[in-house]
Each structure stands twice: as C-alpha cells, then as structure tokens.
Amino acid sequence: MTNVDIATPLSTSGRFIVDAQGRRVRLAGVNWYGASEDFGLPAGLDRTHRRTLARNIARHGFNCVRFPFSLWMTEQTTPVPGQYLAANRDLIGSTPMQVYDACVRALTDAGLIVIPNCHLLSFGWCCSDNDGNGLWYNEAWPAGKFTAVWQEITARYKSNGLVAAMDVKNEPRQATVGGRVLTPTWGTGDDTDLAAIYTTVGNLIHEINPHLLIICEGLKYAGDLTGVASHPVRLERADKVVYSMHDYPWFHPKGQSQASYIEEMTKAGGYLLDEGAGGLAPLWIGEFGNDTGSLANFGLDPTSQVGSADNGVWWNNIKAWITEADMDWCWWALNPTHAKGINPGTGQLLYDWGDREPYGLLTSDWRSVGNPVVMKMLKSMIRPRTGPGVDTAPLAGR
C-alpha cells in the first residue's frame, strides 16, 4: 500500500499493521536525522527546502519517515544558527522545536507518516557504550523527564493523524549512571526493565492520543527481542504494540550464510511474525543501512575496497529475510550529509556539519538520487505481498 492510500489511525492485527479500514500497511521508509544532534536541527535544511524534500521522499514511494529527536532539543529556547537554514529562510529565528514542527508539517502535508523517535537524552551522535544515553535516564536526565517529554510530544501532534506512531527509545544499551554500569533488561521489574518503561510510556501516550502505535525496540542496540516471548509489552490498548529491531553488517560474523543469518534473526525477533502461531505482533526494522557509494556493498560489483564483500553478503542476507518475511522497514539514512555530532559521553567530535554520510540515498545537494541502483532495490521492497486487503495478483497481470 502506498502513502496515498493510508487511512489513519493505524493499529495491529496479528503480525500486520493495518489502517482504519483494516487493510495492511507496510511501513517502508527512511530515517532523516540531525535533530537529535548538537544543534537540534535536521541536516539538509541549508541545501533544500523541507517541502521539496518531503515531496521527493513520497515520490519515490516511501510512506514513512523516522524522525529522531533528543530530550535536550525539546528544551532549547535559543534560535538555531541561521546558516544551517539557508534553503528554509522562513525558519530563520526559530528554535529547534519550531524547526522540527515545520518539518513534521512538511512531511505529513506530502502524505507521509512521521514517526518521532527519542534517539538520545542529551545531544550528539548515537550510539556507543560510553555515550551515557543507553537507558531512558541518567544523572542529567531523570526518568520523569523522559516520560514528560513523550507526553508533550504526543500532545503537540495530537491533531495531526499522520504522526501515527511513536518510537519510544533508540537502541537500548549499557550506560554508566552514578558510577554504576547498567545494562537494560526485559521483564525483570527493576529499574532497568525496558518492557516496563514501554508499558508506562505507552499507556501515558494513549491517555493523550489513543490512536498511536507504540514502537518498542529490543535490547542490545535493538538487536534482541527474545524477551518478548515471555514478557510481551501489554498496553491497555492491546492493538497498538509494534516491535522494532535494527541491523547492520557489524552485527554479524563475516561471510555468514543466508540460512544462518535468517535463523539468527528469526530467533532474535522474527519469530514474532510466525503466522503458524497467529502472528504475535508486527516487526519493523527501524534501522538498517549500508554504504551506497559502491555497488560491491550490495553484492553487485567486484572491488578491492575493504569490507565491500562482507557488506555485500550482509545485504543479500537481510534483503532475502525482509522479502521472505514481508516485514516493515526503514532505511538508515536519507541523509547524504551529516549534522554536527559529538559523543555525548566524551565530548569527542565525531562528525561535523556537512560531512559525507556514506549510507545516504541522496546526492550531496539533497536534491537527487545518489545511487539509482540502490534506490531501485529499496523501491522493489516497498509493496507488501501478504496481509489484509493486499492485492496478491502479480504486477504484470494487473
């Protein structure tokens, strides 16, 4: 189903996300990042107008945008530096939150679903074990602030039906808090229990807007949803829970066979889609990506470039899994260039504004497709094959 067909609100039916008419919606989109970083500002607004960008995303057939933010961003009252808004001069003088609002409006005006994601507590580039942002709280950001910001975000976009889902916490991982190294858990009932915070935040969000999907990322950088089998997230609105995994080449051994990869991913979270068990819940690959600069990274060209062969193996594995399982996904990233991002734990500058983003889909001016072959591959993965209301007739016969 394409973006022009989606009737919100969305909900779940077994392993599928469905629209207001009960028809399958396969979330297939892109991540547009930067707002969670040092200026609280999405990258690219110095190079293209936000409405032009939104129309281009929709034109390529994507139906959603995962849109990261930080808790820090939501509190800033100082206008963002004007030079980073050169192609959006009407926004000069705006705070980070006002810019974020304007981008949300532009995306939804183009018919795109927007999925806000709390990427970080502080500002910077995510993610690492030493950035101090692996949980939903740390010394600077209490848990109460996390829940309060989610309530504020929900209220802010309540009237916009295409802000249809909330991705609660990005890539849960270890964090040092108060001198203790803490590791997120699932279903333990203690102060590191991720399933518990998803339940708390999800129910608080639904008190304000009962229509929203609540996206719950797994442990270990969103790579592990094994705990869901014994401790599913149970919201008062049971038909609103979607689980999310992330996946990249470095999550796996080099040269992994396709059968081994699919077995690993099925155990880690793909089992949620098992239709033999009724389909426990939808699964969204909220981030996956690869260097788009060489087709060797996609197993299509020979090269001497280090890592390309391994990346090509990984790409062929995940493409086969996503296709076979007919699951939802979101590419990292739309961005051809970076925002400025430090490690929020160490203060080390990792990327400066305008640095090349090797996983990006666009040319450096943010206007055209960087690698048409990669874009064509992604577009071939958009149309759902199964689910309520899906036309299963082959395209050639239609």
Side-chain angles (χ1 to χ4, degrees):
M1 181 174 293
T2 61
N3 47 316
V4 295
D5 299 318
I6 295 173
T8 58
L10 305 180
S11 57
T12 68
S13 176
R15 58 144 294 178
F16 299 112
I17 296 170
V18 296
D19 71 2
Q21 298 172 5
R23 303 174 301 174
R24 164 91 191 267
V25 174
R26 185 187 201 180
L27 294 180
V30 292
N31 284 267
W32 177 19
Y33 70 80
S36 58
E37 297 185 65
D38 296 21
F39 298 126
L41 184 65
L45 297 176
D46 54 337
R47 307 193 183 196
T48 189
H49 196 276
R50 60 194 182 276
R51 287 194 286 272
T52 302
L53 183 65
R55 287 193 295 267
N56 282 340
I57 296 169
R59 179 173 56 85
H60 288 297
F62 301 112
N63 62 19
C64 66
V65 173
R66 183 173 179 259
F67 203 28
F69 68 89
S70 70
L71 300 188
W72 175 87
M73 182 205 82
T74 67
E75 291 193 334
Q76 301 314 298
T77 57
T78 303
V80 300
Q83 67 265 36
Y84 303 123
L85 296 167
N88 291 263
R89 299 192 62 82
D90 58 315
L91 297 182
I92 291 176
S94 299
T95 66
M97 202 68 231
Q98 289 168 337
V99 173
Y100 192 89
D101 287 342
C103 292
V104 168
R105 281 195 299 274
L107 294 167
T108 58
D109 283 351
L112 294 160
I113 291 169
V114 172
I115 304 173
N117 161 246
C118 186
H119 216 63
L120 286 168
L121 312 177
S122 185
F123 59 84
W125 176 259
C126 188
C127 302
S128 66
D129 284 351
N130 68 351
D131 65 16
N133 280 245
L135 293 164
W136 59 96
Y137 60 88
N138 58 26
E139 288 107 323
W141 300 94
K145 183 63 181 177
F146 182 81
T147 54
V149 167
W150 269 119
Q151 290 170 301
E152 293 163 9
I153 291 286
T154 303
R156 195 174 194 99
Y157 303 119
K158 182 180 179 180
S159 64
N160 188 337
L162 284 173
V163 181
M166 301 298 189
D167 187 349
V168 177
K169 172 69 184 80
N170 184 62
E171 297 200 350
R173 59 200 178 278
Q174 78 171 41
T176 301
V177 182
R180 293 191 302 151
V181 177
L182 302 178
T183 301
T185 56
W186 194 285
T188 55
D190 58 18
D191 61 0
T192 59
D193 184 352
L194 203 65
I197 194 63
Y198 288 148
T199 304
T200 297
V201 171
N203 285 330
L204 287 171
I205 285 172
H206 284 157
E207 287 179 6
I208 300 167
N209 184 350
H211 299 306
L212 294 169
L213 295 179
I214 305 300
I215 296 177
C216 307
E217 298 188 22
L219 304 175
K220 299 178 182 177
Y221 290 81
D224 178 8
L225 286 166
T226 55
V228 178
S230 55
H231 291 93
V233 174
R234 300 190 186 279
L235 301 180
E236 292 175 22
R237 303 251 344 192
D239 63 346
K240 297 295 183 180
V241 179
V242 173
Y243 294 99
S244 177
M245 296 177 71
H246 294 178
D247 197 53
Y248 290 99
W250 60 88
F251 283 26
H252 302 278
K254 294 181 179 180
Q256 187 175 26
S257 72
Q258 195 166 109
S260 173
Y261 174 89
I262 291 176
E263 180 182 12
E264 177 189 349
M265 297 303 283
T266 299
K267 288 180 178 177
Y271 69 91
L272 294 166
L273 303 175
D274 183 3
E275 294 190 58
L280 301 177
L283 177 63
W284 185 50
I285 309 303
E287 286 186 25
F288 72 116
N290 206 346
D291 188 334
T292 59
S294 167
L295 289 177
N297 291 306
F298 296 85
L300 295 176
D301 274 345
T303 182
S304 59
Q305 181 181 340
V306 174
S308 291
D310 294 321
N311 285 1
V313 169
W314 169 84
W315 167 255
N316 285 324
N317 287 344
I318 192 170
K319 183 175 186 290
W321 181 53
I322 288 175
T323 301
E324 176 185 302
D326 192 27
M327 72 182 73
D328 301 57
W329 54 266
C330 196
W331 178 263
W332 184 280
L334 177 70
N335 299 44
T337 60
H338 276 277
K340 181 184 177 184
I342 63 165
N343 179 318
T346 67
Q348 177 190 2
L349 178 65
L350 301 176
Y351 298 101
D352 211 345
W353 189 276
D355 284 354
R356 175 180 174 263
E357 167 52 83
Y359 287 24
L361 294 179
L362 303 179
T363 50
S364 60
D365 62 2
W366 286 73
R367 296 175 186 273
S368 303
V369 174
N371 191 325
V373 176
V374 174
M375 181 66 82
K376 184 178 179 180
M377 284 192 289
L378 289 177
K379 291 168 77 167
S380 75
M381 298 162 59
I382 290 174
R383 183 172 177 259
R385 293 185 296 106
T386 58
V390 172
D391 183 351
T392 57
L395 287 176
R398 297 174 65 188

